[in-house]
Amino acid sequence: MADFIGAVDQGTTSTRFMIFDHGGNEVAKHQLEHEQILPRSGWVEHDPVEIWERTNSVIQNALRHGGLSPTDLVSIGITNQRETTVVWDPRNGRPYYNAIVWQDTRTDVIAANLERSGKGEVIRRKAGLPPATYFSGGKIQWILENVDGVRQAAEAGHAIFGNTDAWVLWNLTGGPNGGIHATDVTNASRTMLMNLETLDWDEELLDFFGIPRAMLPKINPSSHPDAYGSTRTSRPLSAAIPIGGVLGDQQAATVGQVCFSPGEAKNTYGTGNFLVLNTGAELVRSENGLLTTVAYQFGDEPVVYALEGSIAVTGSAVQWLRDQMKIIKSAPESEELARSVQDNGGMYFVPAFSGLFAPYWRSDARGAIVGLARYNDNAHLARATLEAICYQSRDVVEAMEQDSGVHLDVLKVDGGVTANDLCMQIQSDVLGVEVSRPVVAETTALGAAYAAGLATGFWQNTDELRAQWHESKRWSPQWSEKQRAEGYAGWKRAVERTLEWVKVP
């Protein structure tokens, strides 16, 4: 009898496969990183073929590590780095170009032209998003306009698009031999192409970007028993296992944190930070630089909306300390180094490597370290990096409170950076609220598993999932109001220094 649920978590820096039991407990996992391709300043790419190969490997290895066979899985869910854009030939599965990653800024001219022409307001009204380099629509347009033969192939039906969820799903379900070309409402809501009210591709928005509708995947609910088919009987599973759910990574974390009621929020700390507030059936239009998006849709139930604050560079700033600056050898060393000093020594680091996302939306910004004195050293930089993660989150929390009127009493947190206890204490200090980490910190994969399990009856309802959530640790604020106010004022001054470093056409 099948007793477990699997989840593919295709992220920005790695792909993992996690297996959960009925109690939502981790049974087995395997994870592999993939290459970050940086052709020039502001460009970030991934190799889609490498991502698919990594997906194969992590599924097989996780099953082996758990002593399980594919038929022990009731269903599989998929979660993914959103907005990262793949265009491929459905006849053979060959990508026409590398995946253009959500962090990539090459489409700044496209975004600026949309804003200048007045089309930006239409995109905000229909898609809930500002014209920005972040989202998929401009990336598809760039590929159509800059990669030889793709426009003609698309018009002939020989080029199709997907974020990495659709790429993985298509390959898992057969690829060129009948693979399913589909996505869910959460991923579709990140393209600038889906109408939030109709939950379908919008012809006017498609026309803005010059994208043929035939390129686009079918939009389905996030959890559904029939929408996503089954895995093919060749590798990696060699069995027909139902795929019951698909969710963009931040929406998956929202589900994994059981934020099923309006007013509940979570913050995921990964490559970037993503704070999502459930607004229920209400489509809240942001006046303060947040995104209006879809939280999830389960089966035939009404869609649930959310406000989101997306921050481009948080955990990846720690990777920068490791890989570019080489002041640490591993990410956990950042905590030890930062603990060796009492504060940031007056130094602030704004990691605007890809511009600033919410709530600023400034593609002209670039990273800056300010307030330096001869006294400062590597430890101050490490601490300033952790503080940057937390101050950027405060920017989003303040915008979210202004838009929704909801004041957070407790912030639920998840993701890899939450293993850094010092960073979570700083987060509590900066916000002045308690911070709560669940037992299962990697809630993105858990949320995808929940979606798949709800679709197949493995779990009956969200009340059952809520009963499984347990707290691992909680942090309470230790800073005085004066410390909090002075620290944030210094941060805001530092942010000002990052602006207008890149000329946007």
Side-chain angles (χ1 to χ4, degrees), residues 329-342:
K329 293 181 180 178
S330 66
E333 286 185 23
S334 64
E335 179 174 4
E336 180 182 357
L337 185 58
R339 280 191 185 277
S340 68
V341 291
Q342 292 297 313

Side-chain angles (χ1 to χ4, degrees), residues 399-415:
M400 198 163 279
E401 289 182 347
Q402 292 171 25
D403 273 335
S404 67
V406 174
H407 176 73
L408 294 181
D409 295 318
V410 177
L411 180 65
K412 287 185 174 182
V413 299
D414 57 78

Side-chain angles (χ1 to χ4, degrees), residues 318 321 327-341 378-379 381-383 385-386 389 416-426 437 473 475:
V318 177
L321 294 182
I327 70 170
I328 55 175
K329 293 181 180 178
S330 66
E333 286 185 23
S334 64
E335 179 174 4
E336 180 182 357
L337 185 58
R339 280 191 185 277
S340 68
V341 291
N378 284 350
L381 178 57
R383 191 173 185 101
T385 301
L386 300 186
I389 295 172
V417 178
T418 64
N420 188 316
D421 285 352
L422 176 61
C423 189
M424 293 301 97
Q425 180 59 58
I426 295 171
R437 182 178 68 198
K473 188 167 182 176
W475 291 265

